[in-house]
Amino acid sequence: MSKSYHIITYGCQMNEHDSENLAGMLEAEGYEFVEDPYAADLVIMNTCSVRENADKRFFGVLGQFKKLKKIRPDFILCVCGCMPQQPRVVEEIKKSFAWVDIIFGTQNIAKFPELLHQRVTTGKKQYSIIKDNPVVEEHLEPKRLYKHKALVNITYGCDNFCTYCIVPYTRGREKSRTVKDVRCEIEKLVADGVKEVMLLGQNVDSFKDPGTGERFADLIRSLNKVEGLERIRFMTSHPKDISDDMISCFTSCDKLCHNIHLPVQCGSDRVLKRMNRHYDRAKYMSIIAKLREECPDITISTDIIVGFPGETEEDFEQTLSLVNEVEYDSAFTFIYSPREGTPAARYEDQIPEEIKHERFDRLVDDINRISLEKNLQYQGKTYDVLVEGRSKTDDGAWAGRTNGFKLVNFTAPEEMGKLDGKTVKVEITEAKTFSLYGVIAE
């Protein structure tokens, strides 16, 4: 009788792709996925440590498995991801959550089948944390969330050391794959039905082939030649490293989607310097201008932190003015929370919570207003939509993304059958803040 598994994933697309790889490993070992984690024989909690709320959610859910472990001693609970890369977290798990069977980090995911085998055969708990693995693991076989699109790592780790960010300490130093290996993986994915790839890295713009020295723009141009591939996306870009050569790819590479995620974090030069971001407002705005000159219909999203230590009302007003000047299509907004082990956590001029929340609300109001205004421009027009599947919010409707990454929910005649993975033309009939609605136009 086969064993069952469930993976709980917190965090970014990097974590999502790690979970896809772990699922592939488990299914190669004969495990079958189940929707209910409490019905599974094995559960993996793939953790994130970027924000404090993620820590709290993780420990809360982790505690709920204690009773299950008592009822079913053979149940196996694993913890991996960014949080175990922090020694304090591992010690906390060992001390207060002793029922966890396997703990491993971000640097040795490929070792998981070995750790699982050791736990099953010896009955001993397995702990394996590597601070920084210089080896790029190739040839992993993930179980993809979607048949027609795939996440593909091109870099691992980060060398930027922004003062608020824990990622360089949990993901290790930056390392790139080769253009040849990335292209080979994507060619295999396309042969298996993939139409869209999302290239992943903490900083994709610093990609550099360790053998040939080819940069990110060279990789994009190479992938643009892959026969059968329809769309290329990537995240995340860093304003200090994005090049004019890469920006030119939006014109020269027809498969590169007209969308970019370009985190700004703050509109104040003073705060950006304290964040160790290595660019100023003028530099950032010049990049925005180049992007829109090269690709007038490009959609732009960003990350913004509110309440960074020492942020004054004037600093925050500069963030608001930047948001209104750029007019982002969408933004991920965060209230700053200290992460132990980062320089900013030691800054003495922390902002009171009530001020953070008041500023956050004002920022979100502006972003949502602009997002709606941008989306209203889509009404009455027709766009190509790559269908992801049935809508999660509208029974009977389908959902997909435009080239510019706009989420579209739409209706289609039943006689058209299953639309997953197909590119269809959709006329937009209604615009909302976070999505578009329409009807199929063919």
Side-chain angles (χ1 to χ4, degrees), residues 239 242 247 260-264 281-296 298-302 322 325-328:
I242 191 169
I247 292 174
I260 190 169
H261 186 71
L262 192 67
V264 67
R281 181 188 181 117
K283 168 70 173 176
Y284 185 88
M285 293 305 299
S286 72
I287 296 168
I288 296 294
K290 288 177 182 177
L291 286 164
R292 286 185 166 149
E293 181 179 359
E294 189 76 31
C295 184
I298 195 167
T299 58
I300 303 173
S301 58
T302 195
L322 183 142
E325 186 175 349
V326 174
E327 295 187 324
Y328 293 106

mmCIF file of all heavy atoms in Angstrom, residues 239 242 247 260-264 281-296 298-302 322 325-328:
data_model
loop_
_atom_site.group_PDB
_atom_site.id
_atom_site.type_symbol
_atom_site.label_atom_id
_atom_site.label_comp_id
_atom_site.label_asym_id
_atom_site.label_seq_id
_atom_site.Cartn_x
_atom_site.Cartn_y
_atom_site.Cartn_z
ATOM 1 N N PRO A 239 17.031 46.958 -9.086
ATOM 2 C CA PRO A 239 17.312 48.208 -9.809
ATOM 3 C C PRO A 239 18.800 48.519 -9.956
ATOM 4 O O PRO A 239 19.191 49.188 -10.915
ATOM 5 C CB PRO A 239 16.609 49.271 -8.953
ATOM 6 C CG PRO A 239 15.504 48.531 -8.276
ATOM 7 C CD PRO A 239 16.067 47.160 -7.988
ATOM 8 N N ILE A 242 19.896 45.970 -13.154
ATOM 9 C CA ILE A 242 19.214 45.836 -14.439
ATOM 10 C C ILE A 242 19.959 46.645 -15.501
ATOM 11 O O ILE A 242 20.370 47.778 -15.259
ATOM 12 C CB ILE A 242 17.735 46.281 -14.330
ATOM 13 C CG1 ILE A 242 16.974 45.882 -15.597
ATOM 14 C CG2 ILE A 242 17.608 47.759 -14.033
ATOM 15 C CD1 ILE A 242 15.465 46.048 -15.458
ATOM 16 N N ILE A 247 16.885 45.492 -20.845
ATOM 17 C CA ILE A 247 15.678 46.261 -21.179
ATOM 18 C C ILE A 247 15.375 46.178 -22.678
ATOM 19 O O ILE A 247 14.214 46.094 -23.090
ATOM 20 C CB ILE A 247 15.827 47.724 -20.719
ATOM 21 C CG1 ILE A 247 15.849 47.786 -19.180
ATOM 22 C CG2 ILE A 247 14.699 48.594 -21.274
ATOM 23 C CD1 ILE A 247 16.139 49.166 -18.614
ATOM 24 N N ILE A 260 7.204 43.457 -15.621
ATOM 25 C CA ILE A 260 8.397 43.384 -14.784
ATOM 26 C C ILE A 260 8.041 43.692 -13.344
ATOM 27 O O ILE A 260 7.187 44.541 -13.064
ATOM 28 C CB ILE A 260 9.491 44.356 -15.275
ATOM 29 C CG1 ILE A 260 10.811 44.093 -14.537
ATOM 30 C CG2 ILE A 260 9.062 45.810 -15.127
ATOM 31 C CD1 ILE A 260 11.998 44.826 -15.140
ATOM 32 N N HIS A 261 8.665 42.946 -12.430
ATOM 33 C CA HIS A 261 8.549 43.229 -11.001
ATOM 34 C C HIS A 261 9.856 43.886 -10.582
ATOM 35 O O HIS A 261 10.918 43.263 -10.612
ATOM 36 C CB HIS A 261 8.315 41.935 -10.218
ATOM 37 C CG HIS A 261 8.057 42.176 -8.762
ATOM 38 N ND1 HIS A 261 6.886 42.745 -8.305
ATOM 39 C CD2 HIS A 261 8.829 41.944 -7.666
ATOM 40 C CE1 HIS A 261 6.932 42.839 -6.986
ATOM 41 N NE2 HIS A 261 8.107 42.376 -6.580
ATOM 42 N N LEU A 262 9.781 45.164 -10.219
ATOM 43 C CA LEU A 262 10.977 45.951 -9.918
ATOM 44 C C LEU A 262 10.836 46.596 -8.534
ATOM 45 O O LEU A 262 10.329 47.709 -8.399
ATOM 46 C CB LEU A 262 11.173 47.025 -10.998
ATOM 47 C CG LEU A 262 12.521 47.743 -10.997
ATOM 48 C CD1 LEU A 262 13.649 46.786 -11.367
ATOM 49 C CD2 LEU A 262 12.500 48.919 -11.969
ATOM 50 N N PRO A 263 11.275 45.892 -7.489
ATOM 51 C CA PRO A 263 11.107 46.406 -6.126
ATOM 52 C C PRO A 263 11.807 47.749 -5.922
ATOM 53 O O PRO A 263 12.971 47.907 -6.295
ATOM 54 C CB PRO A 263 11.761 45.322 -5.257
ATOM 55 C CG PRO A 263 11.676 44.079 -6.078
ATOM 56 C CD PRO A 263 11.876 44.550 -7.497
ATOM 57 N N VAL A 264 11.085 48.690 -5.335
ATOM 58 C CA VAL A 264 11.673 49.990 -5.012
ATOM 59 C C VAL A 264 11.927 50.104 -3.512
ATOM 60 O O VAL A 264 12.869 50.737 -3.079
ATOM 61 C CB VAL A 264 10.781 51.156 -5.505
ATOM 62 C CG1 VAL A 264 9.457 51.219 -4.748
ATOM 63 C CG2 VAL A 264 11.527 52.477 -5.406
ATOM 64 N N ARG A 281 16.509 57.426 -5.824
ATOM 65 C CA ARG A 281 15.223 57.630 -6.491
ATOM 66 C C ARG A 281 15.409 58.000 -7.963
ATOM 67 O O ARG A 281 14.712 57.465 -8.838
ATOM 68 C CB ARG A 281 14.448 58.725 -5.752
ATOM 69 C CG ARG A 281 13.070 59.020 -6.346
ATOM 70 C CD ARG A 281 12.469 60.247 -5.683
ATOM 71 N NE ARG A 281 11.152 60.548 -6.210
ATOM 72 C CZ ARG A 281 10.024 60.524 -5.509
ATOM 73 N NH1 ARG A 281 10.063 60.147 -4.239
ATOM 74 N NH2 ARG A 281 8.878 60.845 -6.061
ATOM 75 N N ALA A 282 16.379 58.882 -8.243
ATOM 76 C CA ALA A 282 16.605 59.315 -9.627
ATOM 77 C C ALA A 282 17.012 58.142 -10.509
ATOM 78 O O ALA A 282 16.544 58.018 -11.653
ATOM 79 C CB ALA A 282 17.681 60.411 -9.665
ATOM 80 N N LYS A 283 17.879 57.276 -9.996
ATOM 81 C CA LYS A 283 18.300 56.095 -10.749
ATOM 82 C C LYS A 283 17.101 55.195 -11.027
ATOM 83 O O LYS A 283 16.910 54.712 -12.152
ATOM 84 C CB LYS A 283 19.350 55.321 -9.942
ATOM 85 C CG LYS A 283 19.669 53.920 -10.462
ATOM 86 C CD LYS A 283 20.410 53.926 -11.761
ATOM 87 C CE LYS A 283 20.849 52.516 -12.124
ATOM 88 N NZ LYS A 283 21.511 52.465 -13.451
ATOM 89 N N TYR A 284 16.273 54.980 -10.010
ATOM 90 C CA TYR A 284 15.098 54.118 -10.178
ATOM 91 C C TYR A 284 14.149 54.699 -11.218
ATOM 92 O O TYR A 284 13.672 53.984 -12.108
ATOM 93 C CB TYR A 284 14.384 53.944 -8.839
ATOM 94 C CG TYR A 284 13.232 52.965 -8.897
ATOM 95 C CD1 TYR A 284 13.438 51.611 -8.681
ATOM 96 C CD2 TYR A 284 11.935 53.394 -9.182
ATOM 97 C CE1 TYR A 284 12.387 50.703 -8.744
ATOM 98 C CE2 TYR A 284 10.883 52.500 -9.247
ATOM 99 C CZ TYR A 284 11.117 51.155 -9.023
ATOM 100 O OH TYR A 284 10.074 50.257 -9.101
ATOM 101 N N MET A 285 13.886 55.986 -11.138
ATOM 102 C CA MET A 285 12.948 56.602 -12.074
ATOM 103 C C MET A 285 13.499 56.590 -13.502
ATOM 104 O O MET A 285 12.736 56.504 -14.474
ATOM 105 C CB MET A 285 12.628 58.032 -11.644
ATOM 106 C CG MET A 285 11.851 58.123 -10.327
ATOM 107 S SD MET A 285 10.311 57.158 -10.322
ATOM 108 C CE MET A 285 9.408 57.930 -11.661
ATOM 109 N N SER A 286 14.823 56.660 -13.648
ATOM 110 C CA SER A 286 15.405 56.593 -14.993
ATOM 111 C C SER A 286 15.184 55.209 -15.598
ATOM 112 O O SER A 286 14.986 55.086 -16.813
ATOM 113 C CB SER A 286 16.895 56.928 -14.949
ATOM 114 O OG SER A 286 17.654 55.879 -14.354
ATOM 115 N N ILE A 287 15.211 54.167 -14.766
ATOM 116 C CA ILE A 287 14.946 52.800 -15.245
ATOM 117 C C ILE A 287 13.495 52.684 -15.705
ATOM 118 O O ILE A 287 13.205 52.110 -16.759
ATOM 119 C CB ILE A 287 15.258 51.770 -14.143
ATOM 120 C CG1 ILE A 287 16.742 51.784 -13.800
ATOM 121 C CG2 ILE A 287 14.828 50.363 -14.586
ATOM 122 C CD1 ILE A 287 17.077 51.003 -12.536
ATOM 123 N N ILE A 288 12.578 53.234 -14.906
ATOM 124 C CA ILE A 288 11.160 53.211 -15.282
ATOM 125 C C ILE A 288 10.958 53.895 -16.627
ATOM 126 O O ILE A 288 10.231 53.406 -17.507
ATOM 127 C CB ILE A 288 10.303 53.899 -14.195
ATOM 128 C CG1 ILE A 288 10.376 53.133 -12.870
ATOM 129 C CG2 ILE A 288 8.850 54.031 -14.670
ATOM 130 C CD1 ILE A 288 9.769 51.760 -12.890
ATOM 131 N N ALA A 289 11.626 55.024 -16.815
ATOM 132 C CA ALA A 289 11.495 55.766 -18.076
ATOM 133 C C ALA A 289 12.021 54.941 -19.250
ATOM 134 O O ALA A 289 11.399 54.902 -20.330
ATOM 135 C CB ALA A 289 12.246 57.092 -17.975
ATOM 136 N N LYS A 290 13.157 54.280 -19.063
ATOM 137 C CA LYS A 290 13.727 53.445 -20.128
ATOM 138 C C LYS A 290 12.801 52.282 -20.475
ATOM 139 O O LYS A 290 12.612 51.945 -21.641
ATOM 140 C CB LYS A 290 15.096 52.915 -19.700
ATOM 141 C CG LYS A 290 16.197 53.958 -19.663
ATOM 142 C CD LYS A 290 17.499 53.344 -19.151
ATOM 143 C CE LYS A 290 18.598 54.389 -19.057
ATOM 144 N NZ LYS A 290 19.850 53.803 -18.493
ATOM 145 N N LEU A 291 12.245 51.644 -19.434
ATOM 146 C CA LEU A 291 11.334 50.524 -19.656
ATOM 147 C C LEU A 291 10.123 50.953 -20.476
ATOM 148 O O LEU A 291 9.721 50.274 -21.432
ATOM 149 C CB LEU A 291 10.877 49.938 -18.320
ATOM 150 C CG LEU A 291 11.895 49.098 -17.547
ATOM 151 C CD1 LEU A 291 11.455 48.908 -16.094
ATOM 152 C CD2 LEU A 291 12.082 47.739 -18.223
ATOM 153 N N ARG A 292 9.542 52.081 -20.147
ATOM 154 C CA ARG A 292 8.335 52.535 -20.846
ATOM 155 C C ARG A 292 8.640 53.090 -22.221
ATOM 156 O O ARG A 292 7.797 53.033 -23.121
ATOM 157 C CB ARG A 292 7.598 53.548 -19.970
ATOM 158 C CG ARG A 292 6.904 52.849 -18.797
ATOM 159 C CD ARG A 292 6.071 53.751 -17.954
ATOM 160 N NE ARG A 292 5.193 52.952 -17.087
ATOM 161 C CZ ARG A 292 4.791 53.316 -15.880
ATOM 162 N NH1 ARG A 292 5.184 54.479 -15.377
ATOM 163 N NH2 ARG A 292 3.995 52.532 -15.174
ATOM 164 N N GLU A 293 9.847 53.594 -22.408
ATOM 165 C CA GLU A 293 10.240 54.040 -23.744
ATOM 166 C C GLU A 293 10.447 52.834 -24.652
ATOM 167 O O GLU A 293 10.037 52.837 -25.816
ATOM 168 C CB GLU A 293 11.528 54.859 -23.666
ATOM 169 C CG GLU A 293 11.987 55.383 -25.015
ATOM 170 C CD GLU A 293 13.259 56.206 -24.924
ATOM 171 O OE1 GLU A 293 13.784 56.380 -23.794
ATOM 172 O OE2 GLU A 293 13.746 56.670 -25.978
ATOM 173 N N GLU A 294 11.071 51.801 -24.121
ATOM 174 C CA GLU A 294 11.343 50.591 -24.890
ATOM 175 C C GLU A 294 10.077 49.780 -25.132
ATOM 176 O O GLU A 294 9.879 49.190 -26.187
ATOM 177 C CB GLU A 294 12.371 49.731 -24.148
ATOM 178 C CG GLU A 294 12.913 48.546 -24.929
ATOM 179 C CD GLU A 294 13.931 48.962 -25.977
ATOM 180 O OE1 GLU A 294 14.647 49.966 -25.760
ATOM 181 O OE2 GLU A 294 14.007 48.295 -27.028
ATOM 182 N N CYS A 295 9.201 49.749 -24.115
ATOM 183 C CA CYS A 295 8.014 48.886 -24.152
ATOM 184 C C CYS A 295 6.827 49.645 -23.555
ATOM 185 O O CYS A 295 6.511 49.492 -22.365
ATOM 186 C CB CYS A 295 8.305 47.607 -23.358
ATOM 187 S SG CYS A 295 7.015 46.377 -23.364
ATOM 188 N N PRO A 296 6.158 50.481 -24.360
ATOM 189 C CA PRO A 296 5.106 51.369 -23.839
ATOM 190 C C PRO A 296 3.981 50.666 -23.093
ATOM 191 O O PRO A 296 3.369 51.261 -22.193
ATOM 192 C CB PRO A 296 4.578 52.059 -25.100
ATOM 193 C CG PRO A 296 5.726 52.027 -26.045
ATOM 194 C CD PRO A 296 6.409 50.715 -25.790
ATOM 195 N N ILE A 298 4.220 48.009 -21.141
ATOM 196 C CA ILE A 298 4.720 47.167 -20.055
ATOM 197 C C ILE A 298 3.935 47.414 -18.773
ATOM 198 O O ILE A 298 3.540 48.545 -18.470
ATOM 199 C CB ILE A 298 6.234 47.407 -19.824
ATOM 200 C CG1 ILE A 298 6.817 46.282 -18.956
ATOM 201 C CG2 ILE A 298 6.493 48.781 -19.189
ATOM 202 C CD1 ILE A 298 8.335 46.267 -18.937
ATOM 203 N N THR A 299 3.649 46.343 -18.041
ATOM 204 C CA THR A 299 3.034 46.461 -16.711
ATOM 205 C C THR A 299 4.136 46.326 -15.672
ATOM 206 O O THR A 299 5.058 45.517 -15.825
ATOM 207 C CB THR A 299 1.957 45.391 -16.486
ATOM 208 O OG1 THR A 299 2.540 44.088 -16.645
ATOM 209 C CG2 THR A 299 0.816 45.558 -17.467
ATOM 210 N N ILE A 300 4.028 47.120 -14.620
ATOM 211 C CA ILE A 300 5.095 47.185 -13.616
ATOM 212 C C ILE A 300 4.512 46.975 -12.220
ATOM 213 O O ILE A 300 3.542 47.634 -11.841
ATOM 214 C CB ILE A 300 5.829 48.536 -13.674
ATOM 215 C CG1 ILE A 300 6.385 48.777 -15.087
ATOM 216 C CG2 ILE A 300 6.955 48.592 -12.643
ATOM 217 C CD1 ILE A 300 6.987 50.152 -15.287
ATOM 218 N N SER A 301 5.107 46.062 -11.481
ATOM 219 C CA SER A 301 4.745 45.856 -10.074
ATOM 220 C C SER A 301 5.980 46.083 -9.222
ATOM 221 O O SER A 301 7.104 46.191 -9.732
ATOM 222 C CB SER A 301 4.194 44.440 -9.856
ATOM 223 O OG SER A 301 5.135 43.462 -10.248
ATOM 224 N N THR A 302 5.792 46.149 -7.907
ATOM 225 C CA THR A 302 6.912 46.494 -7.028
ATOM 226 C C THR A 302 6.697 45.945 -5.628
ATOM 227 O O THR A 302 5.630 45.403 -5.312
ATOM 228 C CB THR A 302 7.090 48.026 -6.978
ATOM 229 O OG1 THR A 302 8.373 48.336 -6.423
ATOM 230 C CG2 THR A 302 6.004 48.678 -6.127
ATOM 231 N N LEU A 322 6.337 58.883 -5.144
ATOM 232 C CA LEU A 322 6.911 57.976 -6.148
ATOM 233 C C LEU A 322 5.851 57.031 -6.687
ATOM 234 O O LEU A 322 5.765 56.795 -7.894
ATOM 235 C CB LEU A 322 8.080 57.197 -5.546
ATOM 236 C CG LEU A 322 8.817 56.264 -6.512
ATOM 237 C CD1 LEU A 322 10.319 56.273 -6.243
ATOM 238 C CD2 LEU A 322 8.298 54.826 -6.408
ATOM 239 N N GLU A 325 3.762 58.848 -9.061
ATOM 240 C CA GLU A 325 4.482 59.201 -10.274
ATOM 241 C C GLU A 325 4.651 57.987 -11.187
ATOM 242 O O GLU A 325 4.451 58.071 -12.402
ATOM 243 C CB GLU A 325 5.853 59.780 -9.917
ATOM 244 C CG GLU A 325 6.613 60.315 -11.109
ATOM 245 C CD GLU A 325 7.926 60.992 -10.722
ATOM 246 O OE1 GLU A 325 8.143 61.232 -9.514
ATOM 247 O OE2 GLU A 325 8.728 61.274 -11.631
ATOM 248 N N VAL A 326 5.008 56.836 -10.614
ATOM 249 C CA VAL A 326 5.224 55.626 -11.419
ATOM 250 C C VAL A 326 3.901 55.047 -11.897
ATOM 251 O O VAL A 326 3.780 54.585 -13.017
ATOM 252 C CB VAL A 326 6.000 54.561 -10.610
ATOM 253 C CG1 VAL A 326 6.094 53.254 -11.402
ATOM 254 C CG2 VAL A 326 7.384 55.057 -10.246
ATOM 255 N N GLU A 327 2.887 55.072 -11.028
ATOM 256 C CA GLU A 327 1.581 54.453 -11.313
ATOM 257 C C GLU A 327 1.737 52.953 -11.577
ATOM 258 O O GLU A 327 1.558 52.465 -12.686
ATOM 259 C CB GLU A 327 0.883 55.146 -12.496
ATOM 260 C CG GLU A 327 0.519 56.588 -12.216
ATOM 261 C CD GLU A 327 -0.315 57.203 -13.336
ATOM 262 O OE1 GLU A 327 -0.067 56.877 -14.513
ATOM 263 O OE2 GLU A 327 -1.224 58.000 -13.022
ATOM 264 N N TYR A 328 2.058 52.227 -10.518
ATOM 265 C CA TYR A 328 2.245 50.783 -10.612
ATOM 266 C C TYR A 328 0.928 50.080 -10.929
ATOM 267 O O TYR A 328 -0.146 50.501 -10.488
ATOM 268 C CB TYR A 328 2.777 50.234 -9.285
ATOM 269 C CG TYR A 328 4.172 50.683 -8.941
ATOM 270 C CD1 TYR A 328 4.390 51.634 -7.951
ATOM 271 C CD2 TYR A 328 5.285 50.152 -9.598
ATOM 272 C CE1 TYR A 328 5.676 52.047 -7.616
ATOM 273 C CE2 TYR A 328 6.568 50.560 -9.277
ATOM 274 C CZ TYR A 328 6.756 51.506 -8.288
ATOM 275 O OH TYR A 328 8.026 51.911 -7.966
#
